[in-house]
Amino acid sequence: MSERDAMDGTKGRCLCGRVTFEYRGPEIWCGHCHCESCRRATASPLTTWVGVARGACRFTGAEPSAYASSPGVRRLFCSHCGSPIAYESDRWPDETHLYAALIERARDLAPQFHSHVAEKLPWIRLTDGLPQYDRGAGG
């Protein structure tokens, strides 16, 4: 994170720009998820997430809508354009997980791992040298 981001916050938005957000402070982690649920939520072969402190993230435009995809899990999205925005779970009550591709400075992020590779599509080849976890990161 640059010195400017620390002062101004890191910003992001959905496709139409109605739902905007910002967070202050560093990312806790950044990683790729290959689970079936994330693939279906994004219609893509994998999803890259950024974990930030829940209290550091705020919505600055329209509030996102929420879908309870499973017990204790809320997937936030723009009700106008349909862009997925974030993931919140009772399992990680102090974090908000944001879709990395929505962040204005996404090119500066550095993913640290691949999670749920046991659910990875067979035609995806992982050659980036990052740690791979069959389930969530760390296990």
Side-chain angles (χ1 to χ4, degrees):
M1 169 178 293
S2 74
E3 194 173 307
R4 179 172 177 79
D5 286 337
M7 292 176 8
D8 296 338
T10 299
K11 296 174 175 48
R13 66 176 182 85
C14 65
L15 178 63
C16 73
R18 288 187 184 185
V19 175
T20 56
F21 61 86
E22 75 173 13
Y23 61 90
R24 296 185 186 280
E27 294 85 19
I28 299 169
W29 55 268
C30 181
H32 304 296
C33 183
H34 296 267
C35 81
E36 181 181 6
S37 185
C38 284
R39 290 196 323 261
R40 290 190 184 280
T42 62
S44 59
L46 62 100
T47 299
T48 305
W49 294 100
V50 171
V52 300
R54 186 157 300 174
C57 183
R58 68 185 184 101
F59 293 100
T60 54
E63 286 289 318
S65 294
Y67 171 67
S69 61
S70 57
V73 171
R74 293 158 306 286
R75 291 181 180 270
L76 307 181
F77 64 96
C78 174
S79 62
H80 183 73
C81 69
S83 294
I85 304 294
Y87 173 97
E88 294 180 339
S89 172
D90 293 349
R91 186 173 176 192
W92 297 284
D94 299 327
E95 294 181 17
T96 296
H97 302 166
L98 298 165
Y99 288 90
L102 301 179
I103 296 171
E104 288 179 359
R105 60 174 192 78
R107 68 180 55 236
D108 297 333
L109 297 171
Q112 300 154 313
F113 56 84
H114 290 271
S115 65
H116 297 282
V117 295
E119 298 179 48
K120 176 181 71 63
L121 293 171
W123 43 266
I124 297 289
R125 302 289 179 250
L126 302 179
T127 60
D128 57 15
L130 294 176
Q132 299 178 22
Y133 303 101
D134 281 345
R135 301 185 81 188

